[in-house]
Amino acid sequence: MKFCTVKQYFDDENNNNVTNGIATTVIPLPNKHLKIKANNKEMEQYEQELLRNVMPQELTKLILAANYLNFKEALDFFCRTVANAIQNKSVDYVRKFFGLESDFEPGEEEKLCKEFAWSFEGVDED
Amino acid sequence: MMSQSEEARPPMILRRRTNNHLPDEIVLEILARLPVKSVLRFRGVCKSWCSYITDPNFISTHLNHNHHDHHHDYVIHRPKSKSISSRSNLQVCTLALDRTFETISEFRIPFTFQSGYPRLVGSCNGILCFTDCVTSKSKDVYLWNPSIRKFKRLPDTCLTQLRTLVLGFGYDFQNNDYKVVRISQTRVKDVLAREVEVYSLSSDSWKRVGLGISWTPNAFSFSFNGILAFPFVSGHLHWMIEVMEVGGGQEMCFSAMILSFDVNSEKFKELPLPDDEGSFIVTKCVTSFKGKLALIKFGYGVQPHSMLCSIWVMKDYGVLDSWNKLCVLPVDAFIDFTGFTNYGILLIQNMPRLVSTNCELERKYKSVLIDPETLHENEISIQVNYHLDVATYMESLALLDGANVVFH
């Protein structure tokens, strides 16, 4: 069933530009998963390697692809990767990463910051 | 259709309905995998993220992700009695790794009790429930999530006369709700009256419930559970009780039983104990071990001056025949049993021994973790010379959506 969806995905013209990403990253995943499922350390190293070759912004494309293909393991992996990449980042960085803007009323955001001021400690510089 | 120029530009502005904009359910998948501190900070990203994060469904999804990640199995421990040095230690909870008791960090309890001796009622999904010590007249109960630094004082009782006997704290997973049960016992002349009330976090109120068991109040009494908090297992809270019934020949028959409370249906039931095997049992305590209901019996063995501790586990919850004796450990006469952790490791703390080093006598305290299944013993590094409250713990966002919650 997976092959049919993959073919359909490639045929869909809107997705032509992400083909490269899929081919090199998403497709090999199931085999890799099966081969090294038992070995967590190897999987971590594989993940690190993957991260080095993929820009954080590219990850959003891969996530959409994995979601479309209903490929749960890849989706979990990519979501975890994004989570690890952003967990120590500032609110501004995260906004830029996801292409979002603040829509708070003036003063609302400050109130939120004050409530959990300690959660802003130790955040990476942008 | 993406144009060439849009492809080249990094994502700097809000784009609606483009190929690269992540749908809400995926954003939630990412947020659910973040540590608590990050999730709290990202409430400030935008309004929709703020409301996703405080949604009770998200909070429980986030908890499930954390729970399955075994890197985050912790215990919280806290001294129950004064150490020689300072009284203020009683307000400090230490977060440690489950298997080794290696300290990660410390939290100071943000509320105080009249007696100065907080008592841990239970720990559930990252929320700790505290009340005042047994002998105190104070009826205050607090719920506290140290990882989000928020706590809440429960509203006053709904019972007309309250004299707390036992408390329990558990999670109703069917309704995604946290509940506290309080059983009160008052004596008017010769008549014992027992009343029960249940607090629900989602309604932020107490309500009276019936005890609904067959014995008259005078016929049973709650047993002291040693120093252990009452266990929450398989959606039920448990207390040890002694039942006194008049036998056929008018003699008094004593039997022990476990009283269980279903946190979802709010109904009480009796659970039988395994056979006593005739050995002389000094005390029995009910606790939990690797998510199962467990029983610890301390008694004397055949040999004089030898105390034995037998550990039983109820393999299938509620099934009498499934009580399974895991092991029998010989314990020193001066052993101090402290508690179980999630990975089923029994913490026993020996009373101070006099040790001769360099011609000087010293008091040495030794704390060990024993796995009742393998009997493998591990001495742990923490040096403690007082009783500990030990509870399993995990980080969570629970209480973030609660009413009247105060941050510290």
Side-chain angles (χ1 to χ4, degrees):
Chain A
M1 191 177 62
K2 281 211 167 87
F3 295 115
C4 292
T5 335
V6 168
K7 188 174 185 305
Q8 215 178 321
Y9 191 82
F10 287 157
D11 288 344
D12 186 347
E13 58 175 358
N14 278 339
N15 296 314
N16 274 338
N17 44 10
V18 299
T19 308
N20 253 350
I22 310 283
T24 54
T25 323
V26 178
I27 303 298
L29 266 182
N31 288 329
K32 199 72 185 180
H33 257 272
L34 288 167
K35 272 192 216 154
I36 59 179
K37 208 173 173 181
N39 195 332
N40 273 326
K41 197 142 186 243
E42 264 194 61
M43 197 61 208
E44 268 175 45
Q45 288 177 340
Y46 180 73
E47 287 178 12
Q48 289 304 315
E49 237 185 87
L50 212 63
L51 268 188
R52 254 179 258 131
N53 299 329
V54 172
M55 286 295 292
Q57 286 86 349
E58 288 287 307
L59 278 170
T60 53
K61 294 185 194 173
L62 294 172
I63 288 175
L64 287 169
N67 190 40
Y68 184 93
L69 295 169
N70 200 24
F71 188 178
K72 285 197 165 35
E73 287 88 357
L75 189 62
D76 173 58
F77 166 59
F78 291 135
C79 287
R80 263 190 294 120
T81 311
V82 172
N84 287 335
I86 65 171
Q87 74 179 20
N88 232 31
K89 299 295 183 203
S90 69
V91 169
D92 260 335
Y93 182 101
V94 169
R95 282 193 195 122
K96 292 196 178 89
F97 187 97
F98 288 92
L100 298 165
E101 263 182 4
S102 168
D103 53 352
F104 287 111
E105 308 296 323
E108 256 189 315
E109 201 187 327
E110 279 88 79
K111 199 168 146 228
L112 281 174
C113 290
K114 260 177 83 175
E115 214 176 324
F116 295 107
W118 53 273
S119 70
F120 290 82
E121 289 166 20
V123 168
D124 291 346
E125 297 268 315
D126 281 349
Chain B
M1 181 87 93
M2 294 228 318
S3 67
Q4 282 291 91
S5 55
E6 203 176 336
E7 174 80 283
R9 208 195 322 144
M12 289 289 284
I13 57 168
L14 179 70
R15 291 179 294 176
R16 296 182 192 284
R17 313 258 176 261
T18 60
N19 281 348
N20 274 356
H21 195 68
L22 290 178
D24 290 352
E25 63 263 22
I26 296 193
V27 169
L28 288 172
E29 289 288 327
I30 295 171
L31 291 177
R33 289 163 171 81
L34 285 168
V36 164
K37 186 177 166 194
S38 313
V39 176
L40 292 175
R41 184 168 69 248
F42 297 157
R43 282 161 86 228
V45 167
C46 61
K47 274 186 173 167
S48 54
W49 279 39
C50 189
S51 73
Y52 293 156
I53 286 165
T54 38
D55 179 78
N57 289 326
F58 171 73
I59 290 172
S60 87
T61 305
H62 178 270
L63 176 72
N64 289 334
H65 273 284
N66 248 3
H67 193 57
H68 289 117
D69 176 1
H70 292 304
H71 296 300
H72 294 111
D73 281 332
Y74 300 117
V75 285
I76 278 227
H77 62 82
R78 195 195 67 84
K80 287 164 83 96
S81 52
K82 278 193 278 190
S83 72
I84 304 159
S85 46
S86 76
R87 187 189 170 95
S88 63
N89 281 342
L90 298 177
Q91 288 289 122
V92 174
C93 288
T94 304
L95 179 71
L97 287 180
D98 176 286
R99 290 181 214 254
T100 62
F101 272 67
E102 184 191 320
T103 298
I104 305 282
S105 61
E106 284 185 349
F107 302 112
R108 190 173 191 84
I109 301 177
F111 39 83
T112 52
F113 293 98
Q114 277 177 8
S115 70
Y117 286 86
R119 176 163 58 108
L120 182 69
V121 174
S123 164
C124 227
N125 295 349
I127 300 181
L128 301 173
C129 179
F130 278 95
T131 190
D132 208 341
C133 74
V134 178
T135 52
S136 166
K137 283 203 167 35
S138 159
K139 297 150 187 143
D140 286 344
V141 179
Y142 288 88
L143 294 180
W144 175 39
N145 181 341
S147 61
I148 66 170
R149 305 194 194 180
K150 280 204 154 191
F151 71 93
K152 178 193 176 65
R153 183 184 167 278
L154 262 48
D156 288 336
T157 179
C158 74
L159 301 177
T160 43
Q161 270 199 314
L162 177 66
R163 212 175 151 266
T164 308
L165 197 56
V166 288
L167 279 167
F169 173 55
Y171 174 63
D172 174 3
F173 79 93
Q174 282 183 35
N175 296 313
N176 193 13
D177 193 11
Y178 294 90
K179 293 186 179 168
V180 177
V181 182
R182 173 149 58 189
I183 303 178
S184 159
Q185 175 175 290
T186 46
R187 186 185 284 268
V188 181
K189 297 202 182 146
D190 271 335
V191 183
L192 266 183
R194 291 218 183 89
E195 297 173 291
V196 185
E197 57 175 349
V198 178
Y199 169 83
S200 132
L201 183 65
S202 59
S203 72
D204 192 25
S205 62
W206 293 95
K207 84 165 187 277
R208 192 187 281 270
V209 301
L211 198 48
I213 51 179
S214 48
W215 320 297
T216 61
N218 283 38
F220 74 100
S221 64
F222 285 86
S223 279
F224 181 56
N225 204 41
I227 56 169
L228 299 174
F230 298 109
F232 175 64
V233 169
S234 294
H236 292 70
L237 283 164
H238 305 84
W239 301 273
M240 186 75 82
I241 56 175
E242 296 267 334
V243 183
M244 297 152 282
E245 282 169 317
V246 180
Q250 297 299 305
E251 76 281 7
M252 286 295 275
C253 293
F254 294 92
S255 57
M257 190 134 345
I258 295 175
L259 180 67
S260 82
F261 178 75
D262 182 335
V263 159
N264 174 245
S265 70
E266 298 179 356
K267 298 238 178 311
F268 287 90
K269 235 175 41 200
E270 306 133 31
L271 281 181
L273 293 174
D275 229 321
D276 244 357
E277 303 170 334
S279 51
F280 184 61
I281 300 296
V282 171
T283 187
K284 296 188 276 283
C285 307
V286 65
T287 185
S288 76
F289 171 89
K290 284 187 176 173
K292 305 248 179 240
L293 189 62
L295 183 69
I296 306 166
K297 298 201 245 185
F298 288 94
Y300 286 105
V302 175
Q303 303 209 331
H305 313 300
S306 74
M307 180 167 284
L308 300 171
C309 151
S310 67
I311 299 171
W312 299 72
V313 148
M314 187 175 237
K315 274 171 59 182
D316 301 315
Y317 186 76
V319 177
L320 163 64
D321 292 339
S322 72
W323 276 114
N324 181 34
K325 182 158 63 173
L326 278 189
C327 65
V328 178
L329 297 173
V331 294
D332 290 342
F334 298 111
I335 210 124
D336 248 1
F337 161 72
T338 302
F340 279 107
T341 70
N342 217 12
Y343 276 81
I345 304 172
L346 171 65
L347 172 64
I348 291 183
Q349 183 175 290
N350 290 329
M351 285 291 278
R353 294 165 192 276
L354 288 176
V355 172
S356 173
T357 26
N358 301 329
C359 304
E360 272 182 13
L361 285 178
E362 248 183 64
R363 282 197 175 276
K364 274 236 168 262
Y365 300 88
K366 189 172 95 151
S367 297
V368 288
L369 295 177
I370 301 177
D371 185 334
E373 284 178 332
T374 63
L375 297 184
H376 178 73
E377 215 178 280
N378 230 4
E379 188 170 344
I380 58 171
S381 55
I382 56 165
Q383 285 285 303
V384 288
N385 54 5
Y386 32 68
H387 290 141
L388 293 179
D389 264 329
V390 176
T392 60
Y393 182 75
M394 63 188 87
E395 282 200 336
S396 82
L397 297 165
L399 264 200
L400 185 63
D401 57 336
N404 302 320
V405 184
V406 176
F407 60 94
H408 61 94

Short mmCIF file of all heavy atoms in Angstrom, two decimals, chain B residues 112-150:
data_model
loop_
_atom_site.label_atom_id
_atom_site.label_comp_id
_atom_site.label_asym_id
_atom_site.label_seq_id
_atom_site.Cartn_x
_atom_site.Cartn_y
_atom_site.Cartn_z
N THR B 112 3.07 25.96 53.50
CA THR B 112 3.48 25.43 54.81
C THR B 112 2.27 24.96 55.60
O THR B 112 1.14 25.37 55.34
CB THR B 112 4.20 26.49 55.66
OG1 THR B 112 3.37 27.66 55.70
CG2 THR B 112 5.54 26.85 55.06
N PHE B 113 2.54 24.10 56.54
CA PHE B 113 1.50 23.58 57.41
C PHE B 113 1.78 24.00 58.84
O PHE B 113 2.92 24.21 59.22
CB PHE B 113 1.44 22.06 57.31
CG PHE B 113 0.99 21.57 55.96
CD1 PHE B 113 1.92 21.17 55.02
CD2 PHE B 113 -0.36 21.54 55.63
CE1 PHE B 113 1.51 20.73 53.76
CE2 PHE B 113 -0.76 21.11 54.38
CZ PHE B 113 0.16 20.71 53.45
N GLN B 114 0.69 24.04 59.62
CA GLN B 114 0.78 24.45 61.02
C GLN B 114 1.86 23.70 61.78
O GLN B 114 2.63 24.28 62.51
CB GLN B 114 -0.56 24.16 61.71
CG GLN B 114 -1.59 25.23 61.51
CD GLN B 114 -2.92 24.84 62.16
OE1 GLN B 114 -3.00 23.84 62.87
NE2 GLN B 114 -3.94 25.63 61.91
N SER B 115 1.89 22.39 61.58
CA SER B 115 2.81 21.58 62.37
C SER B 115 4.24 21.68 61.86
O SER B 115 5.17 21.33 62.58
CB SER B 115 2.37 20.12 62.31
OG SER B 115 2.62 19.64 61.00
N GLY B 116 4.40 22.10 60.62
CA GLY B 116 5.74 22.13 60.05
C GLY B 116 6.17 20.77 59.51
O GLY B 116 7.30 20.58 59.07
N TYR B 117 5.24 19.81 59.53
CA TYR B 117 5.55 18.47 59.04
C TYR B 117 4.60 18.11 57.89
O TYR B 117 3.56 17.50 58.11
CB TYR B 117 5.37 17.43 60.15
CG TYR B 117 6.46 17.46 61.19
CD1 TYR B 117 6.40 18.33 62.28
CD2 TYR B 117 7.56 16.61 61.08
CE1 TYR B 117 7.40 18.35 63.22
CE2 TYR B 117 8.55 16.63 62.02
CZ TYR B 117 8.48 17.50 63.10
OH TYR B 117 9.46 17.52 64.03
N PRO B 118 4.96 18.49 56.66
CA PRO B 118 4.09 18.12 55.54
C PRO B 118 4.06 16.61 55.37
O PRO B 118 5.04 15.94 55.65
CB PRO B 118 4.77 18.76 54.32
CG PRO B 118 5.87 19.59 54.84
CD PRO B 118 6.17 19.16 56.21
N ARG B 119 2.93 16.11 54.92
CA ARG B 119 2.81 14.67 54.71
C ARG B 119 2.38 14.41 53.27
O ARG B 119 1.41 15.00 52.80
CB ARG B 119 1.77 14.10 55.68
CG ARG B 119 1.49 12.60 55.50
CD ARG B 119 0.81 12.06 56.73
NE ARG B 119 -0.44 12.75 57.02
CZ ARG B 119 -1.66 12.23 56.85
NH1 ARG B 119 -1.78 11.02 56.36
NH2 ARG B 119 -2.73 12.92 57.18
N LEU B 120 3.11 13.55 52.59
CA LEU B 120 2.80 13.23 51.20
C LEU B 120 1.66 12.23 51.15
O LEU B 120 1.75 11.15 51.70
CB LEU B 120 4.04 12.67 50.50
CG LEU B 120 3.87 12.34 49.02
CD1 LEU B 120 3.69 13.61 48.20
CD2 LEU B 120 5.08 11.57 48.50
N VAL B 121 0.58 12.61 50.49
CA VAL B 121 -0.58 11.72 50.34
C VAL B 121 -0.39 10.82 49.13
O VAL B 121 -0.68 9.63 49.16
CB VAL B 121 -1.88 12.54 50.20
CG1 VAL B 121 -3.07 11.64 49.91
CG2 VAL B 121 -2.13 13.38 51.43
N GLY B 122 0.10 11.42 48.03
CA GLY B 122 0.29 10.61 46.83
C GLY B 122 0.93 11.42 45.72
O GLY B 122 1.08 12.63 45.82
N SER B 123 1.33 10.70 44.68
CA SER B 123 1.99 11.31 43.52
C SER B 123 1.39 10.69 42.27
O SER B 123 1.37 9.47 42.13
CB SER B 123 3.49 11.03 43.58
OG SER B 123 4.08 11.29 42.32
N CYS B 124 0.88 11.57 41.38
CA CYS B 124 0.16 11.04 40.23
C CYS B 124 0.42 11.92 39.04
O CYS B 124 0.09 13.10 39.07
CB CYS B 124 -1.33 11.13 40.57
SG CYS B 124 -2.21 9.66 40.21
N ASN B 125 1.01 11.35 37.96
CA ASN B 125 1.19 12.12 36.74
C ASN B 125 1.86 13.47 36.95
O ASN B 125 1.52 14.44 36.29
CB ASN B 125 -0.17 12.38 36.05
CG ASN B 125 -0.82 11.10 35.57
OD1 ASN B 125 -0.20 10.04 35.56
ND2 ASN B 125 -2.06 11.20 35.17
N GLY B 126 2.81 13.53 37.86
CA GLY B 126 3.55 14.76 38.08
C GLY B 126 2.93 15.70 39.09
O GLY B 126 3.48 16.76 39.37
N ILE B 127 1.77 15.34 39.64
CA ILE B 127 1.17 16.16 40.70
C ILE B 127 1.42 15.48 42.04
O ILE B 127 1.21 14.27 42.18
CB ILE B 127 -0.35 16.33 40.51
CG1 ILE B 127 -0.65 17.01 39.18
CG2 ILE B 127 -0.93 17.17 41.65
CD1 ILE B 127 -2.14 17.24 38.95
N LEU B 128 1.87 16.27 43.02
CA LEU B 128 2.06 15.75 44.37
C LEU B 128 0.93 16.29 45.25
O LEU B 128 0.56 17.45 45.13
CB LEU B 128 3.40 16.22 44.94
CG LEU B 128 4.64 15.82 44.15
CD1 LEU B 128 5.88 16.49 44.71
CD2 LEU B 128 4.82 14.32 44.13
N CYS B 129 0.42 15.42 46.10
CA CYS B 129 -0.67 15.84 47.01
C CYS B 129 -0.12 15.81 48.43
O CYS B 129 0.41 14.79 48.88
CB CYS B 129 -1.85 14.89 46.87
SG CYS B 129 -3.23 15.28 47.96
N PHE B 130 -0.23 16.94 49.11
CA PHE B 130 0.27 17.05 50.47
C PHE B 130 -0.83 17.44 51.44
O PHE B 130 -1.75 18.18 51.10
CB PHE B 130 1.35 18.14 50.56
CG PHE B 130 2.71 17.69 50.14
CD1 PHE B 130 3.15 17.91 48.84
CD2 PHE B 130 3.57 17.08 51.04
CE1 PHE B 130 4.42 17.50 48.45
CE2 PHE B 130 4.83 16.68 50.67
CZ PHE B 130 5.27 16.88 49.36
N THR B 131 -0.66 16.98 52.69
CA THR B 131 -1.54 17.46 53.75
C THR B 131 -0.67 17.59 55.01
O THR B 131 0.53 17.35 54.96
CB THR B 131 -2.72 16.51 53.97
OG1 THR B 131 -3.66 17.12 54.85
CG2 THR B 131 -2.26 15.20 54.59
N ASP B 132 -1.29 17.95 56.11
CA ASP B 132 -0.52 18.11 57.33
C ASP B 132 -0.33 16.75 58.00
O ASP B 132 -1.00 15.78 57.66
CB ASP B 132 -1.23 19.09 58.28
CG ASP B 132 -0.26 19.82 59.20
OD1 ASP B 132 0.88 19.31 59.36
OD2 ASP B 132 -0.63 20.85 59.76
N CYS B 133 0.54 16.70 58.96
CA CYS B 133 0.85 15.42 59.59
C CYS B 133 -0.38 14.83 60.30
O CYS B 133 -1.35 15.53 60.59
CB CYS B 133 2.02 15.55 60.57
SG CYS B 133 1.58 16.39 62.09
N VAL B 134 -0.29 13.55 60.59
CA VAL B 134 -1.42 12.79 61.12
C VAL B 134 -2.01 13.40 62.39
O VAL B 134 -3.23 13.44 62.58
CB VAL B 134 -0.99 11.33 61.39
CG1 VAL B 134 -2.12 10.54 61.99
CG2 VAL B 134 -0.53 10.69 60.11
N THR B 135 -1.14 13.89 63.24
CA THR B 135 -1.62 14.38 64.53
C THR B 135 -2.16 15.81 64.47
O THR B 135 -2.69 16.31 65.46
CB THR B 135 -0.49 14.33 65.57
OG1 THR B 135 0.63 15.00 65.01
CG2 THR B 135 -0.12 12.89 65.90
N SER B 136 -2.02 16.45 63.33
CA SER B 136 -2.45 17.86 63.25
C SER B 136 -3.95 17.99 63.08
O SER B 136 -4.60 17.12 62.52
CB SER B 136 -1.75 18.52 62.07
OG SER B 136 -2.35 19.75 61.77
N LYS B 137 -4.48 19.12 63.56
CA LYS B 137 -5.92 19.37 63.40
C LYS B 137 -6.21 20.04 62.06
O LYS B 137 -7.36 20.16 61.66
CB LYS B 137 -6.41 20.26 64.54
CG LYS B 137 -6.57 19.52 65.84
CD LYS B 137 -7.54 20.22 66.77
CE LYS B 137 -7.99 19.38 67.94
NZ LYS B 137 -7.02 18.46 68.50
N SER B 138 -5.15 20.44 61.38
CA SER B 138 -5.34 21.16 60.11
C SER B 138 -5.89 20.25 59.03
O SER B 138 -5.50 19.09 58.92
CB SER B 138 -4.00 21.75 59.66
OG SER B 138 -4.03 22.01 58.29
N LYS B 139 -6.81 20.78 58.25
CA LYS B 139 -7.42 19.97 57.21
C LYS B 139 -6.99 20.39 55.80
O LYS B 139 -7.58 19.97 54.83
CB LYS B 139 -8.94 20.09 57.32
CG LYS B 139 -9.45 19.55 58.63
CD LYS B 139 -10.70 20.25 59.08
CE LYS B 139 -11.06 19.80 60.47
NZ LYS B 139 -11.62 20.83 61.33
N ASP B 140 -5.97 21.24 55.74
CA ASP B 140 -5.53 21.73 54.43
C ASP B 140 -4.96 20.62 53.56
O ASP B 140 -4.20 19.78 54.02
CB ASP B 140 -4.42 22.79 54.61
CG ASP B 140 -4.98 24.11 55.11
OD1 ASP B 140 -6.20 24.30 55.03
OD2 ASP B 140 -4.17 24.93 55.58
N VAL B 141 -5.36 20.64 52.30
CA VAL B 141 -4.80 19.71 51.33
C VAL B 141 -4.33 20.54 50.13
O VAL B 141 -5.04 21.44 49.70
CB VAL B 141 -5.87 18.68 50.84
CG1 VAL B 141 -5.27 17.74 49.80
CG2 VAL B 141 -6.43 17.89 52.02
N TYR B 142 -3.14 20.23 49.63
CA TYR B 142 -2.59 20.95 48.49
C TYR B 142 -2.26 20.00 47.37
O TYR B 142 -1.82 18.86 47.60
CB TYR B 142 -1.30 21.68 48.89
CG TYR B 142 -1.50 22.88 49.78
CD1 TYR B 142 -1.54 22.74 51.16
CD2 TYR B 142 -1.62 24.15 49.23
CE1 TYR B 142 -1.71 23.85 51.97
CE2 TYR B 142 -1.78 25.26 50.03
CZ TYR B 142 -1.84 25.11 51.41
OH TYR B 142 -2.00 26.21 52.21
N LEU B 143 -2.43 20.50 46.14
CA LEU B 143 -1.93 19.79 44.96
C LEU B 143 -0.82 20.67 44.39
O LEU B 143 -0.99 21.88 44.29
CB LEU B 143 -3.04 19.61 43.92
CG LEU B 143 -4.19 18.69 44.32
CD1 LEU B 143 -5.22 18.61 43.19
CD2 LEU B 143 -3.69 17.29 44.65
N TRP B 144 0.29 20.03 44.00
CA TRP B 144 1.44 20.81 43.56
C TRP B 144 2.14 20.10 42.41
O TRP B 144 2.40 18.91 42.48
CB TRP B 144 2.40 20.95 44.74
CG TRP B 144 3.71 21.62 44.49
CD1 TRP B 144 3.95 22.70 43.70
CD2 TRP B 144 4.96 21.26 45.05
NE1 TRP B 144 5.28 23.03 43.75
CE2 TRP B 144 5.93 22.16 44.56
CE3 TRP B 144 5.38 20.25 45.95
CZ2 TRP B 144 7.27 22.10 44.93
CZ3 TRP B 144 6.71 20.19 46.30
CH2 TRP B 144 7.65 21.11 45.79
N ASN B 145 2.43 20.85 41.34
CA ASN B 145 3.23 20.32 40.26
C ASN B 145 4.55 21.09 40.26
O ASN B 145 4.62 22.21 39.78
CB ASN B 145 2.51 20.47 38.90
CG ASN B 145 3.33 19.89 37.76
OD1 ASN B 145 4.54 19.69 37.87
ND2 ASN B 145 2.66 19.63 36.66
N PRO B 146 5.61 20.50 40.81
CA PRO B 146 6.89 21.21 40.90
C PRO B 146 7.50 21.55 39.54
O PRO B 146 8.22 22.53 39.42
CB PRO B 146 7.81 20.24 41.65
CG PRO B 146 6.96 19.15 42.14
CD PRO B 146 5.68 19.16 41.40
N SER B 147 7.22 20.77 38.51
CA SER B 147 7.88 21.04 37.23
C SER B 147 7.27 22.23 36.49
O SER B 147 7.92 22.79 35.61
CB SER B 147 7.92 19.80 36.33
OG SER B 147 6.63 19.36 36.03
N ILE B 148 6.06 22.64 36.83
CA ILE B 148 5.53 23.88 36.25
C ILE B 148 5.43 24.96 37.33
O ILE B 148 5.00 26.08 37.06
CB ILE B 148 4.16 23.70 35.54
CG1 ILE B 148 3.05 23.32 36.52
CG2 ILE B 148 4.27 22.70 34.41
CD1 ILE B 148 1.65 23.39 35.88
N ARG B 149 5.84 24.60 38.55
CA ARG B 149 5.84 25.53 39.68
C ARG B 149 4.47 26.15 39.93
O ARG B 149 4.33 27.37 40.08
CB ARG B 149 6.90 26.63 39.51
CG ARG B 149 8.27 26.06 39.26
CD ARG B 149 9.36 27.07 39.41
NE ARG B 149 10.59 26.54 38.85
CZ ARG B 149 11.75 27.18 38.81
NH1 ARG B 149 11.85 28.39 39.32
NH2 ARG B 149 12.81 26.61 38.26
N LYS B 150 3.49 25.28 39.97
CA LYS B 150 2.14 25.77 40.28
C LYS B 150 1.54 24.88 41.36
O LYS B 150 1.74 23.65 41.35
CB LYS B 150 1.26 25.74 39.04
CG LYS B 150 1.48 26.90 38.11
CD LYS B 150 0.26 27.17 37.23
CE LYS B 150 0.23 28.63 36.81
NZ LYS B 150 -1.01 29.05 36.19
#
